[in-house]
Amino acid sequence: MTALTLTKVNKSFGSVHVLKDIDIEVEEGEFVVFVGPSGCGKSTLLRVIAGLEDASSGEIRIGDDQVNLTPPSKRGIAMVFQSYALYPHLNVRKNMTLALKQEKQSKEVIDARVEEASRMLDLGDYLDRFPSELSGGQRQRVAIGRAIVRQPKLFLFDEPLSNLDAALRMNTRIEIAALHRQLAASMIYVTHDQTEAMTLADKIVVLRDGRVEQIGSPMELYNNPANQFVAGFLGSPAMNFLPADLLAEGDMRTLGVRPEDLQLDDMGAFDAKVGHVEHLGGDTNVIANIGPHQVTARLFGQHDVSEGDEVKLGFAADKAYYFDKDGARLG
């Protein structure tokens, strides 16, 4: 069953066309991540799905229901915001139960749902605390718990980890992935962080300038990007791009090589000068210049390479990507 269907969805603010003919399907139980740079329209799209913004045209269906004119509270969705959006004067239990009380659920139902959500999120010891007494990670778990107790048709996450430090982001990311497996719920997650997209998603929707650039599983998009934008956006460090005429004079294509496929090689095609080295323990990132073009080689293990070294870099022919002048993938 399809949990969400967007058909030719457009959104304009005055003369500014923000979303352009968006077609997306989310299957029941699927974890879908909207990813793209700042200003690409991903948060606006989430708000249109939630009903916090009206679509200018197109159709939005949640399950079998067309919901374009349905208010947010009647769409069967629950949203988790970047800012947590907790009520500071209510303790954790009351923050989690408020929506259920507004829905006039029975005390037995409310208690059972809070107990289950608290168990999933390890919040049992914090139910009587107020938001000011919690860490950022705990507040975000409360916000997620508040969504879980509503048992929505669709969970919507709007950059929920942006306010957390690096260690908490990783821990909370793992918790969200585990939660998805437990609930088997349909989830849409917005982020600008491609690492979150790659590690969480069943399916990624890459957006740019209000349009869908490509949809697919993380590894489909990583291994078979439709264009130069997708190729450069997914992957850390980012894919290297070089003019192909460095290899063959007159070749007007753009050559793409992922950092892990660019290696130190005495027989390599490129003469390069090392500008910086990142010794990461398990990996070594070598940032070098091939003429005026900066590239990154990600080497497995530890390597004795220093700034200023003259090196040769090469890659296997089957690891190359080629793009035309407009960025479309060739071959």
Side-chain angles (χ1 to χ4, degrees):
M1 180 178 174
T2 303
L4 173 73
T5 305
L6 305 178
T7 306
K8 299 299 179 190
V9 170
N10 287 267
K11 176 63 180 176
S12 296
F13 294 99
S15 62
V16 181
H17 197 175
V18 178
L19 300 177
K20 305 163 186 174
D21 292 330
I22 302 292
D23 292 319
I24 296 171
E25 284 193 357
V26 176
E27 299 302 323
E28 191 73 33
E30 197 169 35
F31 196 126
V32 176
V33 176
F34 296 169
V35 69
S38 179
C40 71
K42 56 188 182 295
S43 289
T44 299
L45 180 56
L46 197 74
R47 291 175 64 83
V48 167
I49 294 168
L52 302 175
E53 300 283 357
D54 293 328
S56 300
S57 63
E59 184 181 66
I60 304 162
R61 301 190 74 87
I62 296 178
D64 295 327
D65 301 320
Q66 204 255 38
V67 297
N68 288 59
L69 301 178
T70 305
S73 61
K74 303 295 185 182
R75 292 194 179 195
I77 58 98
M79 196 161 181
V80 179
F81 296 92
Q82 174 182 341
S83 62
Y84 318 136
L86 301 177
Y87 292 99
H89 63 289
L90 299 181
N91 65 19
V92 168
R93 185 188 302 276
K94 290 181 178 178
N95 264 286
M96 292 174 66
T97 61
L98 182 61
L100 297 179
K101 290 179 178 178
Q102 291 172 339
E103 294 171 4
K104 302 189 184 307
Q105 297 284 354
S106 70
K107 183 179 185 302
E108 291 74 20
V109 167
I110 291 173
D111 289 346
R113 291 190 188 180
V114 170
E115 181 180 352
E116 177 65 7
S118 300
R119 182 193 61 77
M120 287 182 180
L121 296 165
D122 196 22
L123 288 171
D125 293 337
Y126 304 98
L127 292 175
D128 294 323
R129 295 192 188 183
F130 290 86
S132 61
E133 300 173 298
L134 304 176
S135 68
Q138 290 164 345
R139 292 180 198 179
Q140 192 56 278
R141 294 214 304 273
V142 175
I144 294 169
R146 184 176 56 190
I148 289 172
V149 298
R150 297 187 62 192
Q151 298 185 348
K153 298 176 185 175
L154 193 62
F155 286 86
L156 306 179
F157 293 86
D158 189 8
E159 303 207 42
L161 309 187
S162 295
N163 289 341
L164 305 181
D165 63 32
L168 274 175
R169 279 202 302 273
M170 185 177 74
N171 290 339
T172 308
R173 191 170 73 226
I174 292 169
E175 289 173 357
I176 290 172
L179 185 65
H180 176 246
R181 290 192 294 270
Q182 290 180 63
L183 294 173
S186 305
M187 295 183 175
I188 298 177
Y189 185 105
V190 163
T191 182
H192 64 277
D193 186 326
Q194 57 91 23
T195 300
E196 289 179 27
M198 293 291 290
T199 55
L200 285 171
D202 296 318
K203 183 164 70 185
I204 295 175
V205 179
V206 182
L207 294 159
R208 177 172 61 159
D209 297 332
R211 296 187 186 279
V212 173
E213 290 287 323
Q214 192 173 357
I215 299 174
S217 72
M219 297 317 297
E220 284 172 347
L221 268 58
Y222 190 83
N223 292 323
N224 295 294
N227 55 45
Q228 190 172 339
F229 174 79
V230 175
F233 193 82
L234 294 179
S236 181
M239 182 181 282
N240 300 298
F241 296 111
L242 294 164
D245 67 1
L246 290 174
L247 297 175
E249 188 175 351
D251 191 335
M252 301 302 292
R253 298 176 297 174
T254 295
L255 165 68
V257 183
R258 293 213 178 271
E260 62 268 27
D261 296 324
L262 191 61
Q263 300 293 322
L264 297 175
D265 182 354
D266 290 340
M267 302 298 291
F270 302 121
D271 294 311
K273 185 173 183 178
V274 177
H276 181 66
V277 181
E278 296 177 334
H279 296 285
L280 304 175
D283 290 325
T284 304
N285 288 338
V286 177
I287 295 89
N289 290 302
I290 301 171
H293 310 288
Q294 187 179 89
V295 297
T296 299
R298 183 180 182 182
L299 311 178
F300 179 74
Q302 301 177 16
H303 294 261
D304 185 17
V305 184
S306 301
E307 181 183 345
D309 286 355
E310 302 282 349
V311 298
K312 277 189 170 291
L313 296 172
F315 61 95
D318 64 350
K319 299 297 185 180
Y321 296 79
Y322 290 95
F323 307 92
D324 68 17
K325 62 181 178 61
D326 297 317
R329 174 88 178 275
L330 299 170

